[in-house]
Amino acid sequence: LLSNKAISQGKSNSRIELECGFVYAIEQAYLGQHVKTSKRDQALQERVVDQYIKKIDPTKVYLLKSDVEQIRKLLSNVFDKIKSKDCVVFNEVQKIVQQRVKERADFAKKMLGKGYKLDSTVEFVYDPQKKSFPADQKEAEEFFKKYIHFQVSNYLAADTKLNEAKANVIKSWERAVKRMSDTKQDDIYASYLDAFALGLDPHSSYFSRDVNEDFRIQMSLSLEGIGATLSSQDGFTVIEALVPGGAAARSGLVNPQDKIVAVAQGEKGQMENVIELDLRDVVKKIRGSKGTKVRLLILRKQGDSK
C-alpha cells in the first residue's frame, strides 16, 4: 500500500502534481518492497494491462472488443515507455474511453425521450465477470438498453416518479461525461499505478492524493460513516464487512456483499444513483456528521433490495 502523499507536498505546503517522471520511481518502490515480485517481465506487464482495462471499464458497458484490442496494442510496451518517461499512451487510451462514454450518454438521452416506457419483461443478469466485451456497436447497444432499464428501475424502487427517474439517469450520464472530460493527468497516472499494484497481487493498491485525503479524514474521526468496510468491484460499491456495534450492523438491514446502488441523506433526501461512481465519491455521500441518517438502496445476489 503506497501513497503519493510524499510527492504531493513541497515547500511551504505547495502541491506538486503526480507527473510521468514519478511513475517509474514509484513502480521501483513497489518492486523493491514486494515479497514475491522484484522485476518487470512480460507476465507482470500483461497482468497490469488486464487490471488497467478493468479499471477504466469495470462494468464492460463502454468498450468494444476492438477497443480492448487497440488498448492492449497501445500498452504492449508500456513498461519501456514509462522507463523512458513517455506517458502519452495513457492519454490515447483516455480518448478511446471518453468517446465511448459520450456515445453511451447520447444513446441514453435518446432512449429516455418522450416515448420511453419501462419494459418490465426485460431480463438483466448483471455480472461483468461472466460477460465479454461486446463484439460490435449493435451488441453493445442491446446490452446498454437493458442497463438503462435497470438504472431507471432502481429509482422507481425508491418511489421516484418515472419522469424524475429518467431525468436522474440522464443526469448521471451527463456527470459521467463531465468526469471523463475533467479527469486530471495525475488521476490518470494514479489509476495506472493502482493497476500496477494490483498486477503484483490482489492485496496491494496505490493511494492517490484524494484517496489518501479521504483516509486521513476517516482516521481523524471528525466524520462518521455507516460502520462498514466498502470496496469497489465491477462498478459497484460493495459492503465487505460490518463493524460490530456500528450503524449498519445495528440496523439489521445490511449484509456483507450487498451492493449499494443509490444513496440519500436525511428522511426525505433524494436517492442518488451511485453505480460506477468512484468509491471515494460514494463514501463522501454516505459519510456525515454524527447522527446523520443515511438511506441506502441495496442490490443483493438473490435479487432482494432494501
Side-chain angles (χ1 to χ4, degrees):
L1 176 68
L2 293 182
S3 166
N4 67 345
K5 180 182 179 183
I7 64 172
S8 66
Q9 295 179 343
K11 294 180 180 180
S12 302
N13 293 323
S14 61
R15 301 187 113 181
I16 302 174
E17 297 296 324
L18 174 59
E19 298 176 353
C20 180
F22 292 123
V23 176
Y24 181 77
I26 295 172
E27 287 183 341
Q28 285 295 95
Y30 273 105
L31 294 172
Q33 298 178 44
H34 200 265
V35 295
K36 184 178 179 181
T37 305
S38 60
K39 64 179 181 179
R40 295 170 177 79
D41 57 24
Q42 187 61 33
L44 174 59
Q45 181 171 271
E46 289 176 1
R47 293 198 301 273
V48 171
V49 171
D50 285 343
Q51 290 295 336
Y52 190 58
I53 291 172
K54 188 173 182 178
K55 285 186 70 66
I56 59 179
D57 188 9
T59 54
K60 297 181 181 176
V61 168
Y62 302 125
L63 299 176
L64 307 179
K65 282 185 178 179
S66 57
D67 296 326
V68 174
E69 292 170 1
Q70 183 181 356
I71 291 170
R72 290 191 188 280
K73 186 175 181 180
L74 287 169
L75 299 175
S76 61
N77 60 344
V78 66
F79 282 177
D80 292 337
K81 287 182 179 295
I82 288 172
K83 188 174 182 179
S84 62
K85 299 182 180 180
D86 177 9
C87 297
V88 176
V89 64
F90 297 120
N91 293 336
E92 296 176 14
V93 172
Q94 188 74 3
K95 288 179 182 177
I96 295 172
V97 182
Q98 190 169 351
Q99 175 61 31
R100 293 305 185 196
V101 172
K102 186 178 183 306
E103 289 175 359
R104 300 295 175 263
D106 291 342
F107 185 90
K109 291 178 184 177
K110 184 177 180 180
M111 178 177 169
L112 294 172
K114 292 183 178 180
Y116 172 80
K117 292 182 179 180
L118 179 68
D119 187 350
S120 59
T121 66
V122 169
E123 293 186 4
F124 182 64
V125 179
Y126 186 60
D127 186 351
Q129 298 287 352
K130 299 178 181 179
K131 177 183 178 298
S132 300
F133 286 98
D136 51 36
Q137 194 77 338
K138 182 179 179 181
E139 183 179 329
E141 291 180 355
E142 284 301 315
F143 175 80
F144 193 60
K145 288 178 183 177
K146 297 179 181 179
Y147 188 72
I148 294 297
H149 284 308
F150 172 67
Q151 288 187 302
V152 172
S153 66
N154 283 334
Y155 282 108
L156 296 180
D159 296 326
T160 303
K161 300 297 183 182
L162 179 59
N163 285 340
E164 189 176 358
K166 287 165 51 179
N168 288 337
V169 171
I170 290 173
K171 286 178 182 177
S172 72
W173 285 101
E174 289 175 342
R175 285 195 299 270
V177 173
K178 189 175 188 304
R179 279 199 306 272
M180 286 298 300
S181 62
D182 290 348
T183 302
K184 298 178 181 178
Q185 198 69 47
D186 60 345
D187 287 333
I188 294 175
Y189 298 150
S191 181
Y192 165 76
L193 283 168
D194 195 35
F196 181 87
L198 289 167
L200 295 172
D201 68 81
H203 306 293
S204 293
S205 60
Y206 175 80
F207 271 15
S208 69
R209 186 168 58 199
D210 287 340
V211 173
N212 181 60
E213 182 66 20
D214 284 342
F215 179 76
R216 289 174 60 248
I217 291 173
Q218 287 178 336
M219 292 299 99
S220 72
L221 300 180
S222 61
L223 295 173
E224 290 194 353
I226 59 173
T229 303
L230 307 178
S231 70
S232 182
Q233 298 177 22
D234 303 323
F236 286 99
T237 296
V238 179
I239 296 176
E240 292 290 343
L242 302 181
V243 178
R250 293 197 308 270
S251 74
L253 299 174
V254 182
N255 298 328
Q257 298 309 306
D258 282 351
K259 297 176 180 179
I260 301 174
V261 297
V263 175
Q265 286 203 8
E267 294 282 353
K268 299 181 179 179
Q270 173 64 54
M271 276 284 182
E272 183 172 352
N273 182 59
V274 295
I275 299 173
E276 291 200 59
L277 205 62
D278 287 343
L279 180 60
R280 65 173 179 258
D281 293 329
V282 179
V283 170
K284 288 176 183 177
K285 294 181 183 301
I286 293 174
R287 191 172 54 206
S289 302
K290 186 174 182 179
T292 301
K293 184 169 183 177
V294 178
R295 291 179 290 121
L296 306 176
L297 183 62
I298 297 297
L299 182 67
R300 290 212 174 117
K301 190 172 183 180
Q302 66 267 36
D304 293 339
S305 61
K306 291 186 178 179

